[in-house]
Amino acid sequence: MNLKDEIIKLKEELDVTLVAHFYQRDEVFELADITGDSLELAKKAMETSSKYIVFCGVGFMGESVKVMSPEKRVLMPKIACCAMARMIDVDYFDESLAKLNAMGVSTEELLPITYINSSAAVKARVGEMGGMVCTSSNAYKIIEKGLKSGKKIFFVPDRCLGQNFAKSLNLKSTVIGDGTDPKEADIICYDGFCSVHQLFSTDDIEFYRNKYPDILIAVHPECDPKICDMADFVGSTSQLITYIKELDPEQKIAVGTEYNMVNRLRDKNTYILSSTKPECPTMNETTLQDVYNCLKEIKDGKEVFSNEIFVNDNVIKWAKVALQRMFEV
């Protein structure tokens, strides 16, 4: 029996739900019971009755499931770490507040919003300050809601997402440390980014438009604002999937997001908007062997697992508050 069949057999025997993000390798993705983007997975995992959630993704996603469903045991075949999420922690968050205070923006003037690509501890810090979590699909609504407080938005950690949504709302944005005055901005962005979505360039777009005059360009809002300005469609992972699947099969399209997801979308006329392969290194760390090893630990009756996700009660309390504020919007 091969590894894939062994995994299928173990899944049938165990009280477990296997969850995989869109960016996972094909061989892992196709075995999952639940697939989706980070927020979809946290919500769908909440609805399962399984004792064990085996989450194939990156660490902050596993934490989100644990925050929303603390009674479940959340295991990860590989605790890979999103590079963007690692760019900010609570210390960096507080240091940024101190810098803004020194530049004339008081903490009381700020409402923090954190992209879901952040640790549970950062989400908790945001929750304690009255702020919210957002995703790439709902950031527009969350920022609009936040602005009704009359405060400036302190957006962490992805500067591109913050800048792109500021543009879409005709608001002024700044990035901490870029030399501009944060007192004049509506949205103040932390200087984080997604390494995969930084691979796409305006030259790539010009190349495809010259080669295929009728081609469409669709990109993720984690891309640089210059890329988003030139695109025909900008949307979250789920929004990109819906948009592309609804196109005429003969319509050519170049897509600026993670390779594995794009590669599964259509059989033809879909191109990667990059001269290099935009594959997320951390999302691709999880292998079939890792999944098998994780399930085998459950099968063997272990009480202490190699890669179980734990979040302390106070962090769960405040991170859940920040997430629930998002759900309410």
Side-chain angles (χ1 to χ4, degrees):
M1 190 179 292
N2 63 32
L3 204 55
K4 180 178 176 181
D5 292 334
E6 291 278 5
I7 291 169
I8 292 170
K9 182 172 181 292
L10 285 169
K11 279 176 54 188
E12 290 171 350
E13 295 175 8
L14 301 171
D15 184 14
V16 62
T17 297
L18 185 65
V19 177
H21 190 272
F22 284 128
Y23 293 175
Q24 291 290 295
R25 300 166 182 244
D26 286 349
E27 60 265 32
V28 172
F29 185 84
E30 67 186 19
L31 290 177
D33 303 302
I34 299 174
T35 59
D37 61 21
S38 51
L39 179 62
E40 285 176 318
L41 296 180
K43 291 170 73 174
K44 289 176 181 176
M46 285 171 59
E47 297 165 3
T48 69
S49 58
S50 301
K51 178 180 179 181
Y52 298 100
I53 301 294
V54 175
F55 198 107
C56 303
V58 289
F60 79 81
M61 298 177 183
E63 286 185 338
S64 293
V65 174
K66 188 65 177 177
V67 166
M68 299 308 298
S69 304
E71 75 286 356
K72 297 184 188 296
R73 298 194 74 172
V74 181
L75 313 179
M76 298 192 73
K78 175 80 75 171
I79 304 183
C81 188
C82 168
M84 183 199 298
R86 285 204 65 177
M87 290 179 187
I88 190 164
D89 59 18
V90 173
D91 289 339
Y92 285 145
F93 184 95
D94 289 342
E95 286 172 16
S96 297
L97 288 179
K99 286 179 182 177
L100 291 172
N101 295 164
M103 296 173 76
V105 180
S106 69
T107 301
E108 291 70 31
E109 292 177 77
L110 298 169
L111 181 77
I113 294 176
T114 183
Y115 190 25
I116 199 165
N117 294 38
S118 57
S119 70
V122 169
K123 291 182 178 74
R125 187 76 176 90
V126 166
E128 287 180 295
M129 287 183 62
M132 297 174 280
V133 178
C134 79
T135 69
S136 52
S137 59
N138 66 23
Y140 187 100
K141 288 183 178 179
I142 297 295
I143 291 171
E144 270 197 325
K145 171 69 174 177
L147 289 166
K148 289 179 181 177
S149 68
K151 297 184 177 185
K152 296 179 182 294
I153 301 300
F154 177 37
F155 193 89
V156 303
D158 184 14
R159 65 169 186 257
C160 294
L161 199 66
Q163 289 173 304
N164 283 321
F165 280 99
K167 271 192 170 186
S168 71
L169 290 162
N170 294 315
L171 299 172
K172 187 170 183 180
S173 66
T174 187
V175 179
I176 295 174
D178 71 355
T180 58
D181 187 353
K183 295 194 297 295
E184 297 178 0
D186 303 296
I187 299 178
I188 302 170
C189 303
Y190 183 82
D191 194 12
F193 57 88
C194 171
S195 56
V196 174
H197 289 99
Q198 295 303 298
L199 292 174
F200 308 110
S201 72
T202 54
D203 288 344
D204 297 325
I205 295 177
E206 289 171 0
F207 168 82
Y208 274 112
R209 291 210 192 280
N210 288 332
K211 188 170 184 180
Y212 306 110
D214 296 326
I215 199 168
L216 296 174
I217 307 294
V219 303
H220 194 281
E222 289 177 19
C223 292
D224 186 273
K226 291 177 183 176
I227 304 300
C228 294
D229 288 346
M230 293 178 67
D232 299 292
F233 181 81
V234 180
S236 69
T237 301
S238 296
Q239 290 166 344
L240 284 169
I241 290 171
T242 300
Y243 174 75
I244 293 164
K245 286 187 173 180
E246 290 177 352
L247 292 175
D248 184 318
E250 298 304 314
Q251 172 65 55
K252 290 180 171 57
I253 184 165
V255 187
T257 193
E258 207 275 342
Y259 171 80
N260 283 316
M261 191 204 84
V262 177
N263 197 43
R264 285 192 294 264
L265 286 175
R266 295 200 300 178
D267 293 333
K268 62 178 184 176
N269 291 326
T270 303
Y271 304 89
I272 302 293
L273 188 66
S274 176
S275 55
T276 57
K277 191 176 182 181
E279 193 171 60
C280 178
T282 51
M283 279 288 194
N284 281 269
E285 286 184 26
T286 304
T287 65
L288 283 181
Q289 185 65 56
D290 295 325
V291 176
Y292 172 78
N293 293 344
C294 187
L295 294 172
K296 188 67 165 56
E297 286 191 351
I298 301 173
K299 171 71 173 176
D300 291 344
K302 288 196 173 186
E303 281 302 312
V304 178
F305 297 102
S306 300
N307 294 322
E308 184 165 4
I309 298 297
F310 295 100
V311 182
N312 78 54
D313 290 345
N314 192 58
V315 169
I316 285 177
K317 172 187 172 181
W318 286 108
K320 194 167 187 175
V321 165
L323 283 160
Q324 285 174 331
R325 286 179 182 138
M326 173 180 69
F327 293 142
E328 288 167 7
V329 175

